[in-house]
Amino acid sequence: MQLHISPSLRHVTVLPGKGVREFIKVNVGGKRVSYRMLFYALLFFTFLLRFVFVLSTVDTIDGETKCSTLGCLGKRLGPRILGRRLDSVPEVIYKVLKEPLGQDDLKGRNDIPQTLDEFMAEVKDSNLDAKTFALKLREMVTLLEQRTRTAKIQEYLYRHVASSSIPKQLHCLALRLANEHSTNAAARLQLPTPELVPALVDNSYFHFVLASDNVLAAAVVANSLVQNALRPQKLVLHIITDRKTYSPMQAWFSLHPLSPAIIEVKALHHFDWFTKGKVPVLEAMEKDQRVRSQFRGGSSAIVANNTEKPVVIAAKLQALSPKYNSVMNHIRIHLPELFPSLNKVVFLDDDIVVQTDLSPLWDIDMNGKVNGAVETCRGKDKFVMSKRFKSYLNFSHPLIASNFNPNECAWAYGMNIFDLGAWRRTNISLTYHYWVEQNLKSDLSLWQLGTLPPGLIAFHGHVRVIDPFWHMLGLGYQDNTSLADAESAGVIHFNGRAKPWLDIAFPQLRPLWAKYINFSDKFIKGCHIRAS
C-alpha cells in the first residue's frame, strides 16, 4: 500500500514476507530510510509545532506580537531559538503575583473562578492582557489557599476534640465495671492472690509495667502480652492506674484472669513512696497546667490565629491534649522508687500491641546503659523514622543550643527496657526534674509537649539502642503504614492521635488491635464496643 504524505515524503511502502520492524521502508526524496528515522522525524516535528504554539500563546498574553503563522514567527528564528530566551516570563506577571493580597480583599467577591476549569474557560473566552491574567490567577490561587487552610485547621480541631474526649463506650465500660466492683465480690479479688505476692519482687520473673487509666487499652496490652508469651507462667504485669480508675481496672482483671501470668493492679495512692512527702512530678504537673492554660489561651484562641501555618496550629492543639498533663504519662521517671526491689523492667505504653514473645529482651546486654530503646532517626519510613533532637527541642533557645546537638538521633518511648539497678546509680531523675522546671520557668519555650523531650535530655548518654523489630511506631498518625510491615513487628505502637479505640483510627490498622478483644464479652457487648 502507499500513503501520500507530502511532495517530499512521497509514500510509505509495506513490503510483504517479513516483520514490520525489518521491512517498513520510506521513500524520501528518492532515498530509502527505516521507519525508525521517520518516527523520530515526525516526533520532532510534532514537538516543534507544540513549542511554537506555546510561545505564540505567551507572546499574545505579553502583547509582544500578534504572530499567528509560522511565517511570522519564522522571521524571529535564530540562534536564540525563535528569538526568545527560554527563561523569559512577562515582568508584569511577576510584579502582580508578588503583591500581597489580604483575606478581606476577597470577601463578597463572586467573580473569582472557583476551579482551574473555570479559570481556563475564562482565559480562553477573553482576550486578556498580561496584567489582567496575573490578577485573576492571583485571586483564584489565594482564594483556594484560604479555603485549604481553613479546611486543614478544621480537620486538626476535630481531631483534637476527638482524641481528647473519652468515647462514650469507654465511659460506659468504666461505669459498668465500677458498679460491678461495688456489688460483686468476685470483682474485688486481691490481685495477685496471696500465694503469688512473692513473685512481685522476684527478679527471676519477667517484669512488665503498664501505667494507664484506660481499662480497654490496658486489657489489649495484657492480652497481647500474655497470649504471645512462650512462658506466661514467668510473666508479671504490674498495672499502675489512678484513684478513679482503680475499681474498674481491678474489676476487669479480677473477672478476666490471665493465668498462669501474674497480674498486679495498684493505684498510685497504694505506693508508700508516693504518699510520703513531695512528689516532684506532681508538683511539675500542677505548674505545667497553670502555665499551659495561660500560655495557650485554649483551642479557640489557637484556631483564630490567621498568621500561623496549619501545621503550627496543629502542634499547639496537640499540646493541649490532656495526656500531656496526665500522671500516667509522667510516672515512668519514678520507676526506681516505685519498684525498689526490682533490677529490670520493660515499660509498656497503653497504646501498644505485643505480637511476639518479649522474654528475649532480658537477654539483651545493656552494656551498663539504663534505657533500652529503638532509635527513630533511621528506617524505611522516612516520615516516622526521621526524628532527631531538633524535632522535639527548641534549638533557637540558647539554653538548648548550648547543651545539645540538634542532629543527634532521638529514640522512642512506648516499649523500653529499664535497668533499674543502673538507673539508681545515676542522676537521671534529678536531671529530668531540673529540665522540666527550666521549661516551666521559660513559659514552655524549651519544648511544648510530652515527656519525651525531657526524657531525651535526662537519658542522654544512657541509652542502649535495640533492634527496631521490637518497637514499630507511627500507627496512630501514619496512615501509609504497610499492614504487612506492621504484622511483622514485635511490638506495634499506635502513637499519635488516631488511637485504635477511637473512631478516627485508621481502619486498615485497627484490626491488629481489635483482635485481642472478646467482643462477645458481656461488658464489651453491653457498652456497644465493636470491632469496627
Side-chain angles (χ1 to χ4, degrees):
M1 69 174 183
Q2 291 186 343
L3 175 65
H4 293 279
I5 299 176
S6 69
S8 58
L9 296 177
R10 281 193 285 272
H11 60 270
V12 176
T13 304
V14 180
L15 303 179
K18 292 190 178 181
V20 174
R21 182 177 295 275
E22 295 295 330
F23 287 106
I24 293 182
K25 300 293 183 179
V26 184
N27 190 327
V28 182
K31 297 181 180 179
R32 297 176 66 79
V33 296
S34 70
Y35 86 100
R36 189 173 297 173
M37 292 177 62
L38 175 63
F39 172 77
Y40 288 138
L42 291 175
L43 185 65
F44 174 76
F45 186 67
T46 303
F47 168 77
L48 183 62
L49 286 177
R50 292 191 176 193
F51 185 58
V52 169
F53 174 77
V54 170
L55 290 179
S56 176
T57 303
V58 174
D59 282 343
T60 302
I61 292 176
D62 195 15
E64 292 179 6
T65 178
K66 296 298 181 182
C67 285
S68 59
T69 65
L70 289 179
C72 177
L73 286 173
K75 294 177 182 179
R76 301 172 63 193
L77 282 170
R80 296 172 62 197
I81 307 178
L82 296 182
R84 300 177 55 87
R85 296 189 309 276
L86 293 180
D87 60 348
S88 66
V89 173
E91 184 65 27
V92 66
I93 295 180
Y94 277 133
K95 186 175 180 180
V96 171
L97 294 180
K98 283 181 179 180
E99 294 174 359
L101 189 62
Q103 189 171 9
D104 294 338
D105 296 337
L106 302 180
K107 282 186 176 180
R109 295 277 302 276
N110 55 10
D111 59 330
I112 301 174
Q114 305 294 302
T115 65
L116 181 61
D117 288 339
E118 289 183 19
F119 176 76
M120 295 300 294
E122 188 170 334
V123 170
K124 183 178 179 181
D125 296 339
S126 306
N127 188 19
L128 303 179
D129 56 28
K131 184 175 181 179
T132 306
F133 173 85
L135 285 170
K136 286 193 171 292
L137 179 62
R138 183 185 62 163
E139 291 172 349
M140 185 191 74
V141 172
T142 302
L143 180 65
L144 295 178
E145 283 181 344
Q146 290 176 0
R147 290 179 174 176
T148 301
R149 181 182 184 278
T150 300
K152 283 184 177 180
I153 291 173
Q154 288 297 320
E155 177 191 359
Y156 293 142
L157 179 60
Y158 295 151
R159 284 186 172 273
H160 165 68
V161 173
S163 62
S164 301
S165 305
I166 300 176
K168 62 181 181 180
Q169 294 91 337
L170 297 190
H171 188 59
C172 166
L173 182 62
L175 290 177
R176 286 188 175 229
L177 288 169
N179 180 68
E180 194 75 13
H181 185 271
S182 65
T183 59
N184 183 358
R188 297 192 299 272
L189 296 178
Q190 178 183 340
L191 295 175
T193 55
E195 65 273 14
L196 296 176
V197 168
L200 300 180
V201 294
D202 188 340
N203 282 293
S204 67
Y205 284 78
F206 305 124
H207 292 268
F208 296 85
V209 178
L210 168 65
S212 176
D213 58 1
N214 184 330
V215 176
L216 185 62
V220 169
V221 175
N223 290 342
S224 65
L225 174 66
V226 174
Q227 288 180 30
N228 288 290
L230 295 180
R231 290 179 288 171
Q233 69 277 7
K234 296 294 292 182
L235 187 154
V236 178
L237 176 60
H238 306 266
I239 300 176
I240 305 173
T241 190
D242 56 16
R243 189 186 294 268
K244 66 178 175 58
T245 314
Y246 172 70
S247 295
M249 193 75 78
Q250 186 189 29
W252 177 269
F253 285 99
S254 294
L255 299 172
H256 302 82
L258 294 172
S259 57
I262 300 169
I263 308 295
E264 178 190 31
V265 177
K266 290 181 75 173
L268 284 173
H269 64 278
H270 294 149
F271 289 89
D272 292 339
W273 171 84
F274 216 73
T275 60
K276 294 178 180 178
K278 295 181 178 180
V279 180
V281 70
L282 294 182
E283 290 185 326
M285 285 171 54
E286 292 173 2
K287 294 178 182 177
D288 180 86
Q289 196 166 21
R290 291 196 299 269
V291 173
R292 200 174 292 276
S293 62
Q294 297 169 4
F295 183 66
R296 293 298 180 204
S299 58
S300 58
I302 294 172
V303 172
N305 191 315
N306 291 322
T307 59
E308 290 183 321
K309 294 181 178 179
V311 291
V312 175
I313 290 177
K316 288 190 173 183
L317 286 172
Q318 189 174 358
L320 291 179
S321 175
K323 77 171 187 175
Y324 293 119
N325 198 46
S326 167
V327 67
M328 295 297 102
N329 204 35
H330 287 267
I331 200 62
R332 74 192 88 201
I333 200 63
H334 292 296
L335 287 176
E337 294 89 354
L338 294 174
F339 299 97
S341 301
L342 297 183
N343 296 329
K344 182 182 288 188
V345 300
V346 170
F347 189 90
L348 303 173
D349 277 354
D350 65 0
D351 53 355
I352 65 102
V353 175
V354 179
Q355 302 186 132
T356 191
D357 175 45
L358 296 188
S359 60
L361 295 176
W362 268 258
D363 297 328
I364 294 176
D365 185 355
M366 295 290 285
N367 297 323
K369 302 296 185 181
V370 174
N371 178 8
V374 169
E375 283 187 319
T376 56
C377 67
R378 53 182 65 90
K380 287 195 305 181
D381 192 330
K382 300 303 180 184
F383 181 65
V384 176
M385 305 298 284
S386 60
K387 305 297 188 295
R388 300 182 181 273
F389 272 39
K390 62 185 177 182
S391 305
Y392 302 100
L393 301 174
N394 177 20
F395 277 87
S396 64
H397 196 289
L399 193 58
I400 295 294
S402 60
N403 284 280
F404 306 102
N405 177 4
N407 293 314
E408 186 159 352
C409 192
W411 45 267
Y413 265 152
M415 199 296 302
N416 301 83
I417 312 165
F418 288 119
D419 187 330
L420 300 184
W423 190 337
R424 295 184 186 102
R425 297 190 292 270
T426 70
N427 61 352
I428 286 174
S429 298
L430 291 175
T431 302
Y432 183 94
H433 296 307
Y434 169 80
W435 281 96
V436 167
E437 189 68 25
Q438 293 302 309
N439 192 38
L440 292 170
K441 288 179 179 178
S442 65
D443 289 336
L444 308 182
S445 60
L446 304 186
W447 66 85
Q448 292 185 353
L449 50 89
T451 56
L452 182 55
L456 293 174
I457 294 174
F459 287 100
H460 189 246
H462 298 283
V463 176
R464 163 70 159 88
V465 177
I466 63 176
D467 193 290
F469 164 79
W470 295 112
H471 191 184
M472 180 181 184
L473 298 111
L475 278 71
Y477 67 86
Q478 170 63 296
D479 60 347
N480 293 324
T481 300
S482 163
L483 182 61
D485 288 344
E487 288 176 330
S488 64
V491 174
I492 54 175
H493 193 173
F494 288 85
N495 58 314
R497 288 179 174 168
K499 301 299 184 190
W501 54 84
L502 298 176
D503 290 338
I504 59 174
F506 300 124
Q508 76 275 20
L509 300 175
R510 191 173 189 269
L512 297 174
W513 178 84
K515 66 188 288 187
Y516 293 101
I517 299 174
N518 177 10
F519 291 98
S520 64
D521 179 86
K522 70 173 185 176
F523 296 103
I524 299 295
K525 199 171 182 180
C527 289
H528 306 288
I529 298 172
R530 298 183 175 87
S532 59

